Amino acid sequence: MILIVGGAGYIGSHVNKELNKRGYETVVFDNLSYGHEDFVKWGVFERGDLGSLDEIREVFSKYSIEAVMHFAAFTYVGESVEDPQKYYLNNLCNTLNLLQVMLEFSVKKFVFSSTCATYGNPIEIPITEEHPQDPINPYGKGKFMVEKVLEDYSRAYDLRYASLRYFNAAGADPDGEVGELHDPETHLIPLILDAAAGEREDIKIFGTDYDTPDGTCVRDYIHVTDLADAHIRALEYLKNGGASEFFNLGNGNGFSVREVIDVSRKVTGKTIKAVEDERRPGDPPVLVGSSKKAQEILGWKPEYADLHKIVETAWKWHQKKLK
Ligand code: UDP
């Protein structure tokens, strides 16, 4: 069975769906601090916390675990600056707990959710895996530290991992079964859609004086179902004996905040009020990744490279979520 830690969350739930679609058996382990039990629509669910070695051991004793995918992490960059301990304890220490129990049970395949935040402020676009890593906030640093731990564990204990550095995860399951549901919501696309649905008055554009074509930040939005596909390919790569690797997962296209708002207006048919606002501290002007390595080694190719499609699936989910 495949253990999906954090499988009740946004990305984990999409991966769980995709794994089951392809005939894998899954166990979801999640403490539901941010996850949603009704997102666990496939496989079995075990509620538990990575802070407890015994709770992790229980799951490994109960099921025959072949590989682990780890999504359970806090993801608010701003909060990580305000309360770094919260981030290091969960994103770093609890990951060490998980790895400890994996080694106790000789489970040696690990797919890890890393992030483009491990690169810090880019000095070259598109960002490749060879770009220097110099994270600028505790969220990015914690993920970077786990990557370093993985390198050492891989060398010493024969653990093999695929560390997947996501760019901006976006969109929702095209069937509308699971989607993005954060509380509080801080991400651009769901907030724009809240404005489209009349749940908020407007969308604030954080910074209009960046050195980008229209002055607003450019990001690489990658559909969550494409991310899910990459995870399964990474798992299969490890099952086939692949060596430990880092992979960027983005679609290689950058879209500005204004472009995302324009596309959302077209998709929803709503007049979405946009208000120019101050820059948000810590936002690099452009983050666009090269996923050439994942394409070459994993044979991965994003299917939803078009922003229109990404927003369409997010809108479909958004309307369902409101019901
Ligand atoms: N953004 C914005 N208004 C918002 C939320 C986000 O202008 O209400 C911008 C943000 O500054 C960034 C981009 O949208 O340039 C994507 O932000 P998000 O928080 O979705 O993802 P991040 O890039 O921080 O991972």
Side-chain angles (χ1 to χ4, degrees):
M1 288 184 106
I2 309 298
L3 178 65
I4 311 178
V5 180
Y10 173 41
I11 302 172
S13 61
H14 287 79
V15 173
N16 187 25
K17 173 171 178 165
E18 223 40 46
L19 279 167
N20 279 272
K21 240 167 104 175
R22 299 186 201 185
Y24 285 95
E25 287 187 296
T26 58
V27 188
V28 168
F29 183 81
D30 199 300
N31 67 3
L32 300 181
S33 66
Y34 287 90
H36 313 279
E37 192 167 353
D38 56 356
F39 277 18
V40 190
K41 294 190 159 82
W42 308 272
V44 290
F45 178 50
E46 294 287 344
R47 185 170 183 167
D49 197 293
L50 288 182
S52 158
L53 286 168
D54 285 338
E55 287 181 21
I56 309 172
R57 286 185 183 119
E58 250 177 65
V59 174
F60 278 77
S61 306
K62 192 164 164 191
Y63 302 96
S64 167
I65 308 288
E66 177 194 353
V68 176
M69 294 191 174
H70 178 33
F71 300 91
F74 298 141
T75 60
Y76 297 113
V77 169
E79 185 186 53
S80 80
V81 176
E82 302 285 312
D83 190 3
Q85 179 173 248
K86 175 173 173 179
Y87 278 69
Y88 288 122
L89 286 176
N90 187 37
N91 297 6
L92 177 61
C93 295
N94 286 349
T95 301
L96 297 187
N97 286 347
L98 175 61
L99 291 169
Q100 179 179 337
V101 177
M102 282 178 64
L103 293 176
E104 285 172 12
F105 284 79
S106 293
V107 177
K108 299 206 165 171
K109 290 188 268 305
F110 190 61
V111 180
F112 177 60
S113 299
S114 187
T115 166
C116 65
T118 58
Y119 295 112
N121 286 318
I123 49 178
E124 215 173 67
I125 297 289
I127 300 171
T128 67
E129 290 80 359
E130 280 69 48
H131 187 288
Q133 287 178 295
D134 189 11
I136 55 170
N137 51 61
Y139 168 69
K141 287 181 197 172
K143 293 280 185 177
F144 176 68
M145 289 175 195
V146 172
E147 287 197 348
K148 293 292 137 192
V149 168
L150 287 174
E151 282 180 343
D152 290 339
Y153 280 25
S154 180
R155 217 171 287 128
Y157 309 125
D158 197 28
L159 173 102
R160 282 177 304 117
Y161 64 83
S163 181
L164 307 181
R165 297 176 184 154
Y166 313 153
F167 283 72
N168 286 57
D173 168 36
D175 307 325
E177 290 189 283
V178 282
E180 189 168 11
L181 195 57
H182 293 120
D183 186 18
E185 188 53 77
T186 62
H187 292 112
L188 181 64
I189 294 176
L191 289 176
I192 293 174
L193 298 181
D194 282 346
E199 284 174 87
R200 52 187 296 130
E201 211 174 297
D202 53 40
I203 181 73
K204 305 269 187 296
I205 301 178
F206 295 154
T208 53
D209 58 350
Y210 285 101
D211 184 15
T212 57
D214 68 16
T216 66
C217 286
V218 172
R219 293 288 179 273
D220 180 337
Y221 296 90
I222 177 73
H223 196 278
V224 64
T225 302
D226 285 328
L227 284 181
D229 177 48
H231 283 75
I232 294 158
R233 287 171 185 271
L235 171 71
E236 290 174 349
Y237 162 82
L238 294 175
K239 277 165 64 111
N240 291 330
S244 295
E245 275 293 357
F246 303 95
F247 296 102
N248 282 344
L249 299 180
N251 76 43
N253 297 317
F255 294 96
S256 73
V257 174
R258 288 194 209 277
E259 283 174 314
V260 179
I261 296 171
D262 282 344
V263 168
S264 303
R265 287 185 176 127
K266 288 198 188 96
V267 168
T268 62
K270 310 275 184 194
T271 37
I272 299 166
K273 186 175 170 201
V275 175
E276 298 189 356
D277 203 351
E278 297 293 302
R279 289 184 178 197
R280 185 173 69 177
D283 267 338
V286 181
L287 283 174
V288 177
S290 160
S291 303
K292 210 164 151 243
K293 185 171 169 185
Q295 301 199 7
E296 282 173 5
I297 298 180
L298 303 179
W300 178 68
K301 195 170 185 309
E303 255 188 59
Y304 297 86
D306 172 17
L307 184 62
H308 209 271
K309 276 200 203 165
I310 294 178
V311 175
E312 250 170 29
T313 60
W315 181 231
K316 183 173 170 185
W317 163 255
H318 198 280
Q319 288 168 297
K320 185 171 169 176
K321 175 186 88 168
L322 294 179
K323 281 176 194 157

